[in-house]
Amino acid sequence: MGYNNFLYLLNDALEKNHLELALASVKTFRAADVADLLMQLPLENSKNLLIHLPDRVDVFSFLPPEYQAELAKIIPRNILAEIIGEMSSDKRVDVYKRLDTNQQNALLPALAQAEREDIRQLASYVEGTAGAIMSSEYATLKSNMTVSEAITMLRREAPDTETIYFAYVLNDERKLLGVISLKELILAAEEQSIGSIMTTDILFAKVDDDQDEVAKIIARYDLLALPIVDQYGIMIGIVTYDDAMDVASEEATEDFLKVGAVNGSSRFSLKTAPLFQLYKKRVYWLVILVFGSLLSGIGIAHYEDIIAEHIVLVFFLPLLVGSGGNAGSQSSTLMVRALATGDVQFKDWFYLLGRETLVALGLGVTMAVAVSLLGFYRGDELVALVLALSMTGIVLLGCLIGMSLPFILNKLGLDPASASAPLVTSICDAMGVLVYLFIASLILF
Amino acid sequence: MGYNNFLYLLNDALEKNHLELALASVKTFRAADVADLLMQLPLENSKNLLIHLPDRVDVFSFLPPEYQAELAKIIPRNILAEIIGEMSSDKRVDVYKRLDTNQQNALLPALAQAEREDIRQLASYVEGTAGAIMSSEYATLKSNMTVSEAITMLRREAPDTETIYFAYVLNDERKLLGVISLKELILAAEEQSIGSIMTTDILFAKVDDDQDEVAKIIARYDLLALPIVDQYGIMIGIVTYDDAMDVASEEATEDFLKVGAVNGSSRFSLKTAPLFQLYKKRVYWLVILVFGSLLSGIGIAHYEDIIAEHIVLVFFLPLLVGSGGNAGSQSSTLMVRALATGDVQFKDWFYLLGRETLVALGLGVTMAVAVSLLGFYRGDELVALVLALSMTGIVLLGCLIGMSLPFILNKLGLDPASASAPLVTSICDAMGVLVYLFIASLILF
């Protein structure tokens, strides 16, 4: 039975109120897989199945935030409060933030006071910062405890923490003194004090640090979790490795789309996003890039006479300006990704520009040889010379523009990833037209 | 003191053989940070510092594999064997694979027999598969053990395993029966049997599964580690979440570069890669794309008469074909990333094409209005009409090409990410020239 047939039968069972049958049919599925199934059902049926699932909190947690918000609108308030109350603190605040004010106000009184305050607190952090992705549920210990007391305490705290594999040692003002792993606890003698075996040289991040930076620290030092402190050094949360993986994937998607000249955040689905949203994400750059193309047009208009006289030049126009744009896109793509992964820093720019010049000359000469043979075949040796010189110059210029644009954008306070392939192509095209026709006018007149 | 000054002094101390001073100056640094420092020193000094570091195994493990191989050539063989012997099994085989046959043969006899066999075994798995990134060091238990016996066993195994937070329960043939977390062990009563509390519904991957798939499973189900089995269902390794993060980042880089028409693997540094390697990565696509541009040229040559008569058409040529290429790049970028993150599948193509047609019409009409005003200004109402019709058609065609190319490449057994922005741009340019000049020939003659 294929997946679509299964979906059909499941939906049919829900339509006919055969709830037992529907529940039985998804019994062996994992929470992440049931979440995928739900998203393919009509919203009403999806809700009916969800609220009767024994692991509904897990399943709900695996749904994307937009879909959670959709469901939250139609789930009975007391059930929604139960589900949200049991979710991990970082995930439930994501749902909360997507509800409108009326829904938020209806939900809050149904929650326990501690959860209510926790949600209000976490919701106050700015999107994109460590605070917005951290969890407030972590295990804490005191430095004067013994190892066996600590293990007993972790056992008691386990249901309310995201992880017990790391515990944070705090003083009475909740300042971070040290960190200890469950592995270290298991390996230590029972009567040793936590203070004597904890690690005091701790990595941490501030609550308003960029989420991307937090994800990079977790990946760089292979951490399971990173503690987050406020401006007074008081511990207020942790970011776990799985959240860091999600952030890294989102940031990669965002850069990826930017390089393709698609605007805005990565938190949307190509399959389900409203069409107008997709339109908006794209029309902005398409219109801006018109100006780049107009520059090319103006260049061409300026050399109209030369073109009219040597119409063969038009035949090679797409090839020359295209190659400059292609080489430039390659350069900017390499640079944007190297900056994003931390392979290069902005201070390396000058050094990289030197290397790029050598690579670009190699590429330019290769292309020049190829194109001048073609030029000789379709024109004469003068045309071949124009083509060879233009191609070398255009590829070199394209590479230098592609390599520099991310740096210039950064200096202007913009995201270097905005140096998209289409933007670089447009700029290189305009420069290419000018270089080509200028060289042609020198040699052919 | 800036970072560069510090580097200078450190290098100076090493040059003058002030080893104590050099060691003291990096004492408070973390292994990952010392690794970064080493890479900025001359190789000989880097080696001298490394082999005297108390945490040299950790530091060496944080270096990129190419640099490890460089160092391995000059580190005395007995020290190298000590370092490699203590590294985690997945990282040491990465070093081993990068040595040449002579170095491999010199190294192997210096290792203990168990390590030797482990390296030989792990080195035999194909790059890009689960086998090539897995570790052979994991904790195992028997199902008839009690919880307290299991904890004692984990304590004993801890130094030789990558993680003790998950232990795998195997039968006498080393087939996987279940999995149990250290958290579950800590929470269980001491005399319970492992068999009665372990999870028997286990996620696992096969040794020859694609590493990308393994990383996706780990991210999707928020796992710390995934067990790997051979074709007989016998457990042979684990892949941990940090390796999965590295794989995800590498795959994102690879797709990213492909979309910028840069070839080959992501395992290189823009800063240190040999220039010829960078040249090779790029020249391939630049030359292939020449053929796309030639198509544009041929289209232009075909309509040479019309161009000569209405030279104003050339002014708008870059604008029209450029917009088609830009819209097409947007479509292919959206599609390639959605396929990579699993947001859409190939079976959704037809549905997505329908949505794309609507979005493309919206974009096309917006651009057509803008460009026809320009056309009216520079030409007349007939030119404006040509431009409006061409722009709508070109943007629509560009979007459909951009959306379809990743699917077509996949059907041909190629990577959909090869549908790079420059490739899509070249194809759309050629189609754009034909559409524009064909419509112009219909209306203006």
Side-chain angles (χ1 to χ4, degrees):
Chain A
M1 185 169 67
Y3 189 73
N4 283 327
N5 293 348
F6 175 75
L7 255 181
Y8 179 81
L9 290 179
L10 176 61
N11 195 39
D12 196 54
L14 289 165
E15 289 287 343
K16 294 181 179 142
N17 270 319
H18 294 165
L19 201 58
E20 291 301 316
L21 180 64
L23 287 171
S25 71
V26 299
K27 206 177 155 191
T28 59
F29 284 46
R30 272 161 227 283
D33 299 324
V34 178
D36 269 8
L37 270 177
L38 288 184
M39 287 174 66
Q40 316 222 21
L41 295 173
L43 199 62
E44 186 65 28
N45 293 348
S46 173
K47 177 208 75 177
N48 284 338
L49 182 56
L50 173 75
I51 62 179
H52 292 98
L53 288 169
D55 56 346
R56 63 188 185 188
V57 177
D58 280 349
V59 172
F60 191 76
S61 298
F62 270 112
L63 290 165
E66 294 78 18
Y67 194 81
Q68 288 174 335
E70 288 299 307
L71 279 176
K73 288 177 196 156
I74 57 168
I75 295 177
R77 197 191 307 170
N78 59 330
I79 298 184
L80 181 63
E82 264 183 57
I83 293 177
I84 293 213
E86 287 173 43
M87 285 173 80
S88 73
S89 62
D90 53 339
K91 289 196 169 148
R92 74 177 164 214
V93 74
D94 279 346
V95 187
Y96 176 79
K97 281 194 283 194
R98 277 176 180 77
L99 300 178
D100 63 38
T101 319
N102 285 338
Q103 293 167 327
Q104 290 180 342
N105 291 339
L107 176 67
L108 283 179
L111 295 171
Q113 197 196 341
E115 288 157 7
R116 213 153 58 212
E117 279 167 14
D118 185 62
I119 286 182
R120 280 218 187 94
Q121 183 62 44
L122 288 179
S124 70
Y125 300 114
V126 182
E127 275 301 314
T129 65
I133 55 167
M134 76 184 182
S135 163
S136 55
E137 298 148 328
Y138 49 91
T140 60
L141 298 172
K142 300 264 171 214
S143 66
N144 57 2
M145 285 177 168
T146 64
V147 166
S148 72
E149 284 169 347
I151 291 178
T152 308
M153 178 134 180
L154 287 184
R155 242 191 219 130
R156 210 168 50 221
E157 289 187 1
D160 298 323
T161 58
E162 279 232 344
T163 177
I164 58 165
Y165 296 139
F166 280 85
Y168 299 92
V169 186
L170 305 182
N171 69 9
D172 291 338
E173 292 154 335
R174 298 193 65 79
K175 287 203 177 155
L176 196 54
L177 300 178
V179 60
I180 191 159
S181 70
L182 185 56
K183 180 171 175 179
E184 288 164 320
L185 286 174
I186 291 281
L187 292 177
E190 288 197 342
E191 62 287 352
Q192 277 186 289
S193 84
I194 296 300
S196 68
I197 57 170
M198 69 185 183
T199 304
T200 53
D201 175 25
I202 321 156
L203 281 167
F204 62 89
K206 297 240 178 70
V207 64
D208 50 5
D209 283 352
D210 199 84
Q211 62 174 23
D212 191 26
E213 289 307 309
V214 172
K216 272 190 192 154
I217 294 174
I218 290 177
R220 176 173 168 83
Y221 299 100
D222 286 345
L223 305 176
L224 276 173
L226 187 71
I228 308 295
V229 302
D230 69 8
Q231 70 264 45
Y232 309 108
I234 289 171
M235 178 157 179
I236 51 175
I238 57 169
V239 173
T240 51
Y241 75 96
D242 51 322
D243 297 322
M245 280 179 93
D246 292 344
V247 167
S249 164
E250 270 175 35
E251 299 275 342
T253 298
E254 244 174 76
D255 278 4
F256 199 85
L257 295 184
K258 274 192 190 143
V259 161
V262 180
N263 234 6
S265 99
S266 66
R267 290 205 165 197
F268 76 99
S269 160
L270 188 57
K271 217 156 109 187
T272 55
L275 293 178
F276 187 65
Q277 194 191 337
L278 289 175
Y279 169 86
K280 271 199 305 183
K281 276 177 182 296
R282 300 172 57 173
V283 73
Y284 171 74
W285 270 111
L286 282 185
V287 169
I288 288 192
L289 292 171
V290 162
F291 294 97
S293 306
L294 278 181
L295 278 183
S296 297
I298 292 169
I300 290 175
H302 182 72
Y303 289 102
E304 227 164 57
D305 301 341
I306 240 194
I307 295 173
E309 209 157 320
H310 297 269
I311 204 84
V312 64
L313 291 177
V314 182
F315 175 78
F316 288 104
L317 188 68
L319 173 53
L320 284 168
V321 301
S323 298
N326 293 337
S329 311
Q330 288 181 331
S331 300
S332 68
T333 305
L334 280 166
M335 181 57 70
V336 167
R337 184 63 185 169
L339 285 168
T341 58
D343 175 29
V344 305
Q345 278 89 43
F346 286 100
K347 66 178 168 58
D348 302 321
W349 179 54
F350 204 73
Y351 172 69
L352 291 168
L353 211 61
R355 284 169 56 91
E356 180 71 9
T357 306
L358 294 176
V359 175
L361 276 176
L363 293 170
V365 169
T366 309
M367 300 290 286
V369 170
V371 77
S372 60
L373 292 177
L374 266 172
F376 192 68
Y377 170 72
R378 271 194 73 99
D380 51 28
E381 62 283 350
L382 273 188
V383 170
L385 181 64
V386 169
L387 293 176
L389 289 178
S390 304
M391 184 60 105
T392 311
I394 287 173
V395 168
L396 180 60
L397 199 63
C399 289
L400 297 184
I401 291 172
M403 183 115 314
S404 307
L405 199 57
F407 286 95
I408 295 170
L409 289 173
N410 183 263
K411 286 280 168 210
L412 296 176
L414 300 169
D415 184 342
S418 305
S420 65
L423 178 61
V424 172
T425 303
S426 293
I427 297 177
C428 292
D429 281 1
M431 304 304 288
V433 166
L434 292 179
V435 170
Y436 176 37
L437 296 177
F438 175 69
I439 291 179
S441 72
L442 285 186
I443 293 180
L444 298 179
F445 276 84
Chain B
M1 185 169 67
Y3 189 74
N4 283 328
N5 292 347
F6 175 75
L7 256 181
Y8 179 81
L9 290 178
L10 176 62
N11 194 40
D12 195 55
L14 289 165
E15 288 288 343
K16 293 179 180 144
N17 270 318
H18 294 164
L19 200 59
E20 292 301 317
L21 180 63
L23 286 171
S25 72
V26 300
K27 208 177 155 189
T28 59
F29 285 47
R30 272 161 227 284
D33 298 324
V34 178
D36 269 8
L37 272 176
L38 289 184
M39 288 174 66
Q40 317 221 21
L41 295 172
L43 199 63
E44 187 65 26
N45 294 347
S46 173
K47 178 210 74 177
N48 284 337
L49 182 56
L50 173 75
I51 61 179
H52 293 98
L53 289 169
D55 56 346
R56 63 188 185 189
V57 176
D58 280 350
V59 173
F60 191 76
S61 297
F62 270 112
L63 291 165
E66 294 78 19
Y67 194 82
Q68 289 174 336
E70 288 300 307
L71 279 176
K73 288 178 196 157
I74 57 169
I75 294 176
R77 196 190 308 170
N78 59 330
I79 297 184
L80 182 64
E82 265 182 56
I83 293 176
I84 292 213
E86 287 173 42
M87 284 173 80
S88 73
S89 63
D90 53 339
K91 288 196 169 147
R92 74 179 163 214
V93 74
D94 279 346
V95 187
Y96 176 79
K97 281 194 283 194
R98 278 178 178 77
L99 301 177
D100 63 38
T101 320
N102 285 338
Q103 293 168 326
Q104 290 179 343
N105 291 339
L107 176 68
L108 283 179
L111 294 171
Q113 197 195 342
E115 287 156 8
R116 213 153 57 213
E117 279 166 15
D118 184 62
I119 286 182
R120 278 218 189 94
Q121 183 61 44
L122 287 179
S124 70
Y125 300 115
V126 182
E127 276 300 314
T129 65
I133 55 167
M134 77 185 183
S135 164
S136 55
E137 297 148 327
Y138 48 91
T140 61
L141 299 171
K142 299 265 171 213
S143 66
N144 57 3
M145 285 177 169
T146 65
V147 165
S148 73
E149 284 169 347
I151 292 178
T152 308
M153 178 134 182
L154 288 184
R155 244 190 218 131
R156 212 168 50 223
E157 289 187 0
D160 298 322
T161 59
E162 279 232 344
T163 177
I164 58 165
Y165 297 138
F166 280 85
Y168 300 92
V169 186
L170 306 181
N171 70 8
D172 291 338
E173 292 154 335
R174 298 193 64 79
K175 286 204 177 155
L176 196 53
L177 300 179
V179 60
I180 190 160
S181 70
L182 184 56
K183 179 171 175 178
E184 289 164 321
L185 286 174
I186 291 281
L187 293 177
E190 289 199 341
E191 62 287 351
Q192 278 187 288
S193 85
I194 296 300
S196 68
I197 57 169
M198 68 186 185
T199 305
T200 53
D201 175 25
I202 321 157
L203 282 167
F204 61 89
K206 297 241 178 70
V207 64
D208 51 5
D209 283 352
D210 199 85
Q211 62 173 24
D212 191 26
E213 289 307 311
V214 173
K216 273 189 191 154
I217 294 175
I218 290 176
R220 176 174 168 83
Y221 298 101
D222 286 347
L223 305 176
L224 275 173
L226 186 71
I228 308 295
V229 301
D230 69 8
Q231 69 266 44
Y232 307 109
I234 289 170
M235 178 158 179
I236 52 175
I238 57 169
V239 173
T240 50
Y241 75 95
D242 51 322
D243 298 322
M245 279 180 93
D246 292 344
V247 167
S249 164
E250 271 175 34
E251 300 275 341
T253 298
E254 242 173 79
D255 277 4
F256 199 83
L257 296 185
K258 273 192 191 145
V259 162
V262 180
N263 234 7
S265 98
S266 66
R267 290 205 165 198
F268 76 100
S269 159
L270 188 57
K271 216 155 111 188
T272 56
L275 292 179
F276 187 66
Q277 194 191 337
L278 288 175
Y279 170 86
K280 270 199 306 184
K281 275 176 183 296
R282 299 173 56 172
V283 73
Y284 171 74
W285 271 110
L286 282 184
V287 169
I288 287 192
L289 292 172
V290 161
F291 294 98
S293 307
L294 277 180
L295 277 183
S296 297
I298 292 169
I300 290 175
H302 182 73
Y303 290 102
E304 226 163 58
D305 300 341
I306 226 186
I307 294 174
E309 209 157 319
H310 297 269
I311 204 81
V312 64
L313 290 177
V314 183
F315 175 79
F316 289 103
L317 188 67
L319 173 54
L320 283 168
V321 302
S323 298
N326 293 338
S329 310
Q330 289 181 330
S331 301
S332 68
T333 305
L334 280 166
M335 182 57 71
V336 167
R337 185 61 186 170
L339 285 168
T341 57
D343 176 28
V344 305
Q345 278 88 44
F346 286 101
K347 65 178 168 58
D348 302 321
W349 179 54
F350 205 72
Y351 172 68
L352 291 169
L353 211 60
R355 285 168 55 90
E356 181 69 8
T357 306
L358 294 176
V359 174
L361 275 176
L363 293 171
V365 169
T366 308
M367 301 289 285
V369 170
V371 78
S372 60
L373 292 177
L374 267 172
F376 193 68
Y377 170 73
R378 270 194 76 97
D380 51 28
E381 62 283 351
L382 273 188
V383 171
L385 181 64
V386 169
L387 293 176
L389 289 178
S390 304
M391 183 60 104
T392 311
I394 287 172
V395 168
L396 180 60
L397 199 63
C399 289
L400 297 183
I401 291 172
M403 183 115 314
S404 308
L405 199 58
F407 286 95
I408 295 171
L409 289 173
N410 182 264
K411 285 281 168 209
L412 296 176
L414 299 168
D415 184 341
S418 305
S420 64
L423 178 61
V424 171
T425 303
S426 292
I427 296 177
C428 292
D429 282 1
M431 303 304 289
V433 166
L434 291 179
V435 169
Y436 177 37
L437 296 177
F438 175 69
I439 291 180
S441 72
L442 284 185
I443 294 180
L444 298 180
F445 277 84

